Amino acid sequence: MLKEKVALITGASGGIGRAIAIKLAENGATCIVNYNGNKKKAEATAESIESLGGKAILKKADVSDTEACKKMIEEIIDECGKIDILVNNAGITKDGLLIKMSERDFDQVIDINLKGAFNCTKFASKYMMKKRSGNIINMASISGIIGNAGQVNYSASKAGLIGMTKATAKELSSRNIRVNAIAPGFIETEMTEKLSDKIKEESVKQIPLGRFGKAEEVANVALFLASEQSGYITGQVIRIDGGIVI
């Protein structure tokens, strides 16, 4: 489905990003595995891709750093000649109640989750526009749709990403660049593993399908959006949440 395509997946060292990188590689894409802090996990992602016969290239960059993003995109163009698919997946949480949340914790989440996507989209779309072809997938969250207590910063960043998705879809559609967002609910990742058993049990009760989702289920939707099977879809937010937002 993605033969000869070049895909950049930010924050691909683990969790949903890792699953997406592997899924796209399985379907023929050369995957640029972006990471910032954990090189060993990024290398593990690359090794998984290569063990399946795919091609992976590691790129270290802090997506909240504008110049680092610009350099990373330029290196990819120099090495691969193009970027066909961009998955803005890099993200962090710094949870806490509003009245106790520090300015630093608010700023860090916005800088990585929202500004990071802005940086990568700005520089990657420059080359996509020249080719008059491209595909951008933003990893949002149901927290950006319904909000979540204790996640003012995270919810704001993901709501902003949804707005960015719609605005950039309108701006870039004339150059045949599609932009969509995926909004996962509770997905089995290292992030949700840290939750207490009580919180997990209470969370599952809210989900009509009665379970957390799997990272591969998110990756399957990313593959659909990255392929020509979704060629007439742009500016959309697809929820993968087991029905929690109905």
Side-chain angles (χ1 to χ4, degrees):
M1 293 171 67
L2 302 177
K3 186 178 180 181
E4 299 182 357
K5 299 291 186 181
V6 175
L8 166 60
I9 304 94
T10 66
S13 58
I16 291 173
R18 180 178 189 273
I20 291 174
I22 291 172
K23 182 65 65 175
L24 300 189
E26 283 178 338
N27 284 269
T30 294
C31 285
I32 314 299
V33 177
N34 162 259
Y35 70 99
N36 184 32
N38 199 321
K39 185 177 181 180
K40 286 186 177 180
K41 287 178 66 177
E43 289 174 337
T45 299
E47 288 169 6
S48 295
I49 288 171
E50 290 166 356
S51 70
L52 296 168
K55 184 178 180 181
I57 300 172
L58 293 178
K59 286 293 176 186
K60 183 181 188 302
D62 177 356
V63 296
S64 68
D65 184 327
T66 302
E67 287 304 313
C69 273
K70 182 180 180 182
K71 182 181 177 182
M72 175 175 65
I73 299 296
E74 289 174 347
E75 288 178 354
I76 294 168
I77 297 301
D78 287 342
E79 294 171 25
C80 302
K82 61 178 181 173
I83 294 179
D84 300 294
I85 301 161
L86 168 64
V87 182
N88 285 311
N89 171 76
I92 63 169
T93 58
K94 294 278 185 177
D95 295 350
L97 294 176
L98 170 65
I99 59 172
K100 294 182 178 180
M101 185 174 291
S102 68
E103 181 179 2
R104 177 179 172 81
D105 284 352
F106 184 87
D107 288 347
Q108 280 189 326
V109 170
I110 296 296
D111 283 349
I112 293 174
N113 297 10
L114 185 57
K115 184 185 174 185
F118 164 78
N119 285 336
C120 291
T121 300
K122 178 179 179 179
F123 295 119
S125 64
K126 172 184 174 181
Y127 296 96
M128 291 178 176
M129 289 174 74
K130 289 179 181 178
K131 287 177 68 251
R132 302 189 72 86
S133 176
N135 203 320
I136 299 169
I137 301 168
N138 295 321
M139 296 307 301
S141 167
I142 61 167
S143 294
I145 298 173
I146 61 175
N148 196 21
Q151 288 193 321
V152 166
N153 48 5
Y154 186 77
S155 297
S157 71
K158 296 302 185 179
L161 195 54
I162 289 170
M164 185 186 296
T165 297
K166 296 177 180 181
T168 51
K170 289 182 176 180
E171 285 191 20
L172 300 176
S173 60
S174 64
R175 299 299 181 96
N176 195 36
I177 300 169
R178 296 189 294 112
V179 188
N180 292 288
I182 296 174
F186 289 97
I187 307 297
E188 293 177 356
T189 63
E190 290 181 3
M191 192 180 295
T192 54
E193 283 177 8
K194 295 176 183 178
L195 299 174
S196 68
D197 290 341
K198 183 177 180 181
I199 291 177
K200 288 179 183 177
E201 290 171 7
E202 290 300 316
S203 299
V204 167
K205 289 178 183 177
Q206 301 174 43
I207 303 171
L209 287 182
R211 66 174 177 86
F212 282 10
K214 300 182 184 301
E216 186 174 4
E217 292 175 310
V218 180
N220 287 336
V221 176
L223 172 62
F224 169 69
L225 290 174
S227 74
E228 288 307 310
Q229 290 188 352
S230 60
Y232 199 52
I233 298 175
T234 195
Q236 301 304 304
V237 182
I238 299 178
R239 300 192 305 270
I240 307 176
D241 63 0
I244 197 170
V245 182
I246 292 179

